[in-house]
Amino acid sequence: MRFAGLVENEILKISRQRRFRVVVLILIALIGLIVFAQARGRDRFLGGKDWRVRTQERMANIQNWLRDGRMPASSQRWARFELGRLKYHLERDIDPEAISGPLFTRGFATASSYLLLPLLAIVFASDIVSAEFQGGTIKILLTRPVGRVRVLASKLVALMLAITLTTVFAALVAYAFGGIAYGYAGWGAPILTGFRIGGEAFDPAGVRSIALWKDTVLVFGLAWFAMLCVGAIGLLTSVLLRSTAAAMGSMLAALIAGTILPRLASQWEAQKFLFVTCLPLPDYYSGSPPPIPGLTIGLAAAVLAAWAAAALIAAFAVFARRDVLA
Amino acid sequence: MSSEAVVEAEPVLVAEHLTKRFGKREAVSDVSFTLHAGEVLGFLGPNGAGKTTTIRMLVGLAKPDAGRIHIRGLDLATDFRRAMTHVGSIVESPDLYRYLTGRENLMHFARMLPDGAEDRIESLADMVRMRERLDDRVSTYSLGMRQRLGIAQALLGNPDVLVLDEPANGLDPAGIREIRELVRHLAEDRGISVFVSSHLLSEIELMCDRVSIIHRGRTLASGPVHELLERFAGDRILVRAHPAPLAAERLAALGADEVEASANGELVSARLAPARVPEAMRELVGAGVDVYTLERPDSALEDAFLRITGGETV
């Protein structure tokens, strides 16, 4: 009857289901593939030139595009931002395209925070309640002398543990594979972060240099936080839909819509209040140009937290009260 | 346990005026019954009569729109957790975690009970004859094995009340018999009160002390099984005798109704009150009729049940 026993039950169920092994395999296979593809493409792209020469050539290219004037407004914003970012790196004598095992690890967190990591959170969250309905085991689970709120709370804790473990595991796998390709050293190297666009121009006021290991911890922390929030929303869909496939499908559709929306409809500012738009926290933190004007790291995190809190309240309210009939 | 003793025993589960609506349809209307200590109460009704809905209310899966449920004096609506320490149940089908072993399932549910439940796993596994398969995955079990493991799960918390929803469904005759013997054993030797639903009258007749008949969400009749059988059961008898015409004649003379001798000679069908059957036997034998068998056809029981429920199937 102890709460720890309930959490132990939920962890047992997550770890014994096939999806747990699938997630582990997906991470290993995907990260391995990314490292392989990136390492091969990189040799061709860099062409053996000195990085300063290469960066200057790239800046010249961007300036030509800008002068050409046929770029859409959103791309112009990006171009100006990129120009500023490259210039800043040149001034600080830091190679913007540098790579190492640690840099790959950090880059993986940033790139996967849009889709891959939230997707893994959804894989766990979608079935955590719906599987009990589909398997009929909910009829035993909710007729034991344990309140429904405690049952769902134990599931939430187990879900958060699974998401945390997945984040740590993803980091370790990325570092392991990244190290094979680019070497394991370089945690102490400085990295520039905090780029912003102020109005239409590049704004260097927020830029600072930070040790890579610190930055990586921060970036993974942000990705983890975003995964937790997605997990909370996934928990609600799992409670509401009672079908794993339906819960996973709807969350997946939302995620994909979230990656498309900023590109297709960047003018629609209200989308900054959608949780999917706010997911890539690491990007908002390190300062890629935000797809939506006014969407800062603070706002994005607050929007995510608000969605997660509302989802949890709804999930608990529905789970505690609703009749179990099917 | 005899019905007289049952009436004296303490009530362990009391359902009063249970009503459940789905939209405008009343699935259960004003259903009441009392389960006493150590008795087996049958809950009989055709499919769709409201049995499962009632059971879901009994175990707290669904909230009644009206009415109360008390388990060992504890109100289920306000004291759910304490009330449920006294109840073990299988609702609809024995669904367990298929990807876990039998033992892992039992451990899982033991962790949801007060301390001590884990210590009962071995003896319960023995009782339901699952010890040898306990470390295999549930997905490899037959339905009968899952039903038995489900009963072990229901008994983990040492409950006073066992609620079984259609435990015979889908089992072969040997499996049905095993469940029946287990239920009688639990009631008679361990003093556990059992509430068991079924749509099969013969099942209820063999397993239960008392029965409550539900149809279209309402209780139609309730009482000791033998009383209800006498009250409602068909009084048709089948006599295999030689010579049949003489047997038919004597039965008619005794006042039996609808006496018919079959065309090919050996079988006589008639309606005669159960109390008068011994007299009829003496009369037939005395008249020099050779009686091979005298039986109440199984279909008569089903007929009675159909008559009570208005002959409707859903």
Side-chain angles (χ1 to χ4, degrees):
Chain A
M1 250 217 281
R2 291 162 300 111
F3 189 69
L6 299 182
V7 175
E8 188 185 342
N9 279 348
E10 297 308 323
I11 291 170
L12 171 75
K13 286 182 274 187
I14 292 176
S15 62
R16 291 295 300 277
Q17 276 170 310
R18 200 175 292 136
R19 68 191 67 244
F20 185 74
R21 275 159 274 169
V22 169
V23 165
V24 168
L25 286 178
I26 285 177
L27 273 176
I28 293 175
L30 215 57
I31 294 174
L33 187 72
I34 292 169
V35 168
F36 175 76
Q38 198 197 40
R40 300 221 33 184
R42 203 178 149 75
D43 292 341
R44 230 168 287 156
F45 170 68
L46 296 182
K49 286 182 198 158
D50 178 72
W51 70 266
R52 288 175 197 82
V53 177
R54 207 178 59 231
T55 307
Q56 273 157 354
E57 280 177 9
R58 193 163 149 69
M59 287 170 69
N61 275 339
I62 295 175
Q63 269 157 348
N64 285 338
W65 288 338
L66 271 171
R67 240 175 264 129
D68 194 35
R70 272 179 298 187
M71 245 183 205
S74 61
S75 302
Q76 281 184 26
R77 240 158 51 91
W78 173 83
R80 269 195 291 275
F81 172 87
E82 184 67 5
L83 215 51
R85 191 179 76 91
L86 293 175
K87 187 160 162 263
Y88 214 86
H89 276 87
L90 267 182
E91 283 165 9
R92 294 295 178 94
D93 204 26
I94 294 174
D95 179 0
E97 307 295 338
I99 191 73
S100 66
L103 271 167
F104 174 82
T105 310
R106 179 190 175 280
F108 171 77
T110 309
S112 57
S113 65
Y114 288 89
L115 202 55
L116 178 64
L117 289 178
L119 187 67
L120 298 182
I122 285 168
V123 168
F124 289 123
S126 296
D127 100 319
I128 201 155
V129 174
S130 60
E132 305 271 4
F133 277 94
Q134 283 187 318
T137 45
I138 191 82
K139 293 174 299 187
I140 314 181
L141 201 66
L142 297 188
T143 55
R144 303 291 69 213
V146 179
R148 290 192 184 185
V149 168
R150 270 167 83 85
V151 170
L152 191 60
S154 69
K155 284 185 173 293
L156 177 63
V157 170
L159 174 63
M160 289 167 71
L161 282 172
I163 287 174
T164 307
L165 267 179
T166 306
T167 315
V168 171
F169 182 72
L172 291 178
V173 173
Y175 183 49
F177 278 105
I180 293 173
Y182 309 117
Y184 290 98
W187 283 115
I191 187 163
L192 294 176
T193 188
F195 297 96
R196 293 202 287 260
I197 285 192
E200 288 301 299
F202 175 74
D203 171 16
V207 179
R208 61 199 179 280
S209 172
I210 179 174
L212 179 53
W213 70 267
K214 261 190 204 165
D215 194 63
T216 306
V217 169
L218 252 163
V219 162
F220 268 99
L222 290 169
W224 171 76
F225 177 77
M227 283 170 81
L228 287 183
C229 294
V230 172
I233 298 165
L235 184 73
L236 175 64
T237 60
S238 189
V239 167
L240 289 180
L241 296 176
R242 285 173 291 181
S243 144
T244 308
M248 212 179 285
S250 55
M251 286 300 289
L252 189 61
L255 280 191
I256 290 171
T259 62
I260 297 171
L261 207 56
R263 275 174 235 170
L264 292 188
S266 61
Q267 301 309 312
W268 182 44
E269 289 201 17
Q271 67 179 291
K272 65 187 171 199
F273 299 114
L274 297 178
F275 81 90
V276 281
T277 312
C278 297
L279 279 181
L281 287 181
D283 268 352
Y284 296 141
Y285 152 73
S286 62
S288 293
I292 317 297
L295 188 51
T296 61
I297 168 77
L299 180 63
V303 168
L304 277 179
W307 273 82
L312 286 182
I313 290 169
F316 273 89
V318 171
F319 189 76
R321 291 198 197 132
R322 191 167 56 184
D323 284 351
V324 178
L325 295 167
Chain B
M1 186 178 285
S2 73
S3 56
E4 290 76 20
V6 161
V7 175
E8 299 300 317
E10 164 198 11
V12 287
L13 187 157
V14 181
E16 292 170 302
H17 311 297
L18 293 182
T19 298
K20 182 73 184 176
R21 281 181 284 272
F22 296 120
K24 286 190 168 176
R25 191 174 70 87
E26 241 175 43
V28 175
S29 315
D30 196 25
V31 165
S32 302
F33 50 81
T34 302
L35 177 65
H36 297 97
E39 81 168 330
V40 181
L41 175 64
F43 197 48
L44 179 66
N47 290 329
K51 297 191 300 285
T52 294
T53 304
T54 305
I55 283 185
R56 283 175 188 270
M57 289 191 278
L58 287 187
V59 296
L61 287 175
K63 285 189 186 60
D65 291 314
R68 291 193 166 280
I69 296 159
H70 284 91
I71 295 166
R72 282 233 165 262
L74 299 161
D75 189 331
L76 190 67
T78 57
D79 222 345
F80 174 80
R81 270 184 290 168
R82 283 207 295 157
M84 289 314 286
T85 57
H86 300 293
V87 183
S89 65
I90 298 181
V91 179
E92 243 181 336
S93 49
D95 293 313
L96 294 146
Y97 298 104
R98 291 174 150 265
Y99 50 88
L100 300 180
T101 67
R103 187 188 304 278
E104 285 169 330
N105 268 284
L106 294 181
M107 292 289 285
H108 175 282
F109 289 112
R111 281 190 284 265
M112 299 186 79
L113 291 163
D115 290 343
E118 287 181 23
D119 305 334
R120 286 190 277 271
I121 290 178
E122 294 297 326
S123 62
L124 283 171
D126 276 339
M127 192 185 82
V128 299
R129 297 194 306 104
M130 285 299 294
R131 184 186 270 276
E132 263 131 61
R133 296 294 305 275
L134 206 54
D135 290 304
D136 294 343
R137 281 188 194 217
V138 170
S139 56
T140 66
Y141 289 2
S142 68
L143 178 63
M145 294 165 81
R146 281 190 285 134
Q147 192 72 264
R148 299 207 304 266
L149 190 69
I151 289 177
Q153 182 283 127
L155 293 172
L156 268 179
N158 241 349
D160 304 314
V161 183
L162 190 59
V163 176
L164 300 177
D165 189 7
E166 301 269 3
N169 254 12
L171 296 184
D172 58 19
I176 293 176
R177 184 177 166 164
E178 192 162 22
I179 296 292
R180 186 163 69 222
E181 284 168 359
L182 192 56
V183 165
R184 290 306 323 175
H185 161 72
L186 292 172
E188 283 162 21
D189 306 333
R190 298 193 170 206
I192 296 176
S193 316
V194 186
F195 182 87
V196 54
S197 79
S198 177
H199 64 280
L200 298 172
L201 181 74
S202 51
E203 219 19 71
I204 293 285
E205 188 191 358
L206 290 168
M207 210 187 311
C208 303
D209 303 302
R210 286 194 312 130
V211 63
S212 215
I213 299 177
I214 181 174
H215 179 57
R216 292 184 144 192
R218 293 178 182 279
T219 316
L220 288 183
S222 51
V225 171
H226 62 92
E227 273 179 27
L228 280 193
L229 278 178
E230 270 171 38
R231 181 139 53 107
F232 293 105
D235 45 9
R236 185 164 298 282
I237 54 171
L238 273 182
V239 186
R240 193 174 291 277
H242 184 83
L246 178 59
E249 189 194 313
R250 298 317 305 165
L251 285 173
L254 266 172
D257 294 323
E258 297 172 27
V259 181
E260 274 176 57
S262 65
N264 57 0
E266 297 254 296
L267 209 55
V268 181
S269 155
R271 294 186 54 184
L272 186 67
R276 303 199 60 198
V277 169
E279 185 191 346
M281 289 283 272
R282 282 195 296 275
E283 174 68 24
L284 290 177
V285 173
V289 176
D290 293 335
V291 178
Y292 297 99
T293 61
L294 188 153
E295 60 182 331
R296 212 171 266 291
D298 280 345
S299 64
L301 302 179
E302 300 299 333
D303 285 350
F305 176 46
L306 289 177
R307 199 155 61 239
I308 293 169
T309 58
E312 287 175 50
T313 49
V314 179

